[in-house]
């Protein structure tokens, strides 16, 4: 199966309807990852078919939950974004969202800037910084396999808008990590994801500052 056919099938399985230009951008993004991976170690996955399921479809699975939770527009900070997952995919699939991908590794932030220029994504930006240095308010702060939940929220809480939420992409339900969260953070939903072609558990842990101080 070609990458395009695999992507089309995955989008259909996820119930996502994207414009042809957005599909082209997703395929262009995969191509850019492949090219940069030859020089920089952006991702351990090298096979294009695996990239489709493990990276693209995995990240596309958060689009519907993001829209349900945050609507069609807002500001999203993707923490420890690496090759831009899920941030670049959100920027392509949800053009109403301004997506900033922050990474402490300069070459990874530069890659995001290159993707934004090459794919003509004015709503995407790469930021070379530690997340603790980011102060702008974001309605959603996301991460994918970045760190423990406690480290994620502690490092990024200064970037969360007043009514903002954290979106943490995880594998199986991380109960121990959830139990280790600070008392002033609440998990308000653990959303199971089904990623087409990926025989592994995936979920989103949605968090926010506790409404009543614990």
């Amino acid at each position: 199966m070609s990458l395009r056919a695999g992507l089309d099938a995955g989008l259909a399985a996820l119930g996502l309807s994207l414009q042809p230009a957005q599909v082209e951008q997703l395929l262009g993004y995969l191509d850019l990852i492949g090219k940069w991976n030859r020089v920089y170690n952006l991702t351990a996955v090298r096979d294009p078919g695996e990239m489709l399921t493990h990276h693209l479809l995995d990240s596309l699975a958060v689009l519907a939950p993001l829209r349900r939770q945050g609507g069609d527009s807002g500001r999203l900070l993707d923490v420890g974004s690496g090759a831009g997952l899920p941030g670049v995919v959100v920027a392509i699939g949800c053009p109403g969202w301004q997506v900033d991908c922050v990474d402490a590794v300069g070459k990874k932030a530069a890659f995001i800037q290159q993707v934004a220029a090459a794919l003509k994504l004015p709503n995407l930006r790469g930021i070379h910084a530690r997340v603790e240095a980011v102060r702008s308010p974001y309605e959603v702060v996301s991460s994918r396999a970045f760190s423990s939940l406690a480290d994620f929220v502690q490092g990024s809480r200064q970037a969360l808008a007043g009514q903002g939420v954290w979106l943490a992409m995880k594998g199986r339900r991380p109960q121990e990590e959830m139990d280790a969260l600070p008392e002033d953070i609440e998990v308000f939903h653990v959303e199971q994801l089904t990623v087409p072609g990926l025989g592994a558990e995936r979920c989103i842990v949605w968090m926010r500052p506790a409404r009543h101080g614990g």
Side-chain angles (χ1 to χ4, degrees):
M1 186 186 291
S2 70
L3 285 178
R4 178 182 296 277
L7 178 55
D8 286 342
L11 289 169
L14 289 167
L16 290 173
S17 178
L18 297 185
Q19 297 298 316
Q22 291 171 299
V23 175
E24 289 297 332
Q25 286 173 321
L26 288 169
L27 292 169
Y29 172 48
L30 265 190
D31 188 51
L32 284 168
I33 293 178
K35 285 176 179 171
W36 276 59
N37 243 350
R38 292 175 203 143
V39 183
Y40 303 110
N41 187 27
L42 291 176
T43 165
V45 177
R46 290 286 197 271
D47 176 71
E50 277 192 54
M51 277 193 209
L52 177 65
T53 51
H54 287 65
H55 291 337
L56 228 52
L57 296 179
D58 190 47
S59 294
L60 283 164
V62 309
L63 295 192
L66 174 64
R67 287 176 184 146
R68 281 195 298 270
Q69 181 62 42
D72 291 326
S73 64
R75 283 167 51 80
L76 180 141
L77 179 68
D78 192 25
V79 177
S81 186
L85 300 154
V88 170
V89 175
V90 171
I92 291 171
C94 300
W97 282 82
Q98 171 63 45
V99 178
D100 289 348
C101 296
V102 62
D103 204 289
V105 179
K107 67 187 178 191
K108 293 182 177 178
F111 172 69
I112 302 301
Q113 291 289 79
Q114 176 63 31
V115 170
L119 301 183
K120 298 179 172 56
L121 293 167
N123 61 324
L124 176 67
R125 185 170 63 139
I127 301 174
H128 177 211
R130 291 180 58 80
V131 63
E132 292 84 357
V134 179
R135 298 282 165 187
S136 300
Y138 293 87
E139 285 81 21
V140 176
V141 178
S142 68
S143 71
R144 176 178 179 267
F146 169 63
S147 68
S148 72
L149 293 176
D151 287 347
F152 170 48
V153 299
Q154 292 286 35
S156 61
R157 61 166 72 218
Q158 78 291 335
L160 195 72
Q163 299 296 311
V165 297
W166 284 283
L167 181 173
M169 295 178 67
K170 290 286 184 179
R172 65 182 58 198
R173 182 186 177 98
Q175 191 60 50
E176 286 188 11
E177 290 186 31
M178 288 159 54
D179 292 341
L181 282 166
E183 286 189 4
D184 63 345
I185 303 297
E186 67 174 354
V187 174
F188 66 90
H189 186 33
V190 178
E191 187 163 359
Q192 297 300 319
L193 301 177
T194 300
V195 180
L198 189 67
E201 289 185 62
R202 288 287 188 270
C203 71
I204 296 173
V205 181
W206 291 99
M207 298 166 287
R208 64 189 172 205
R211 296 292 186 254
H212 304 291

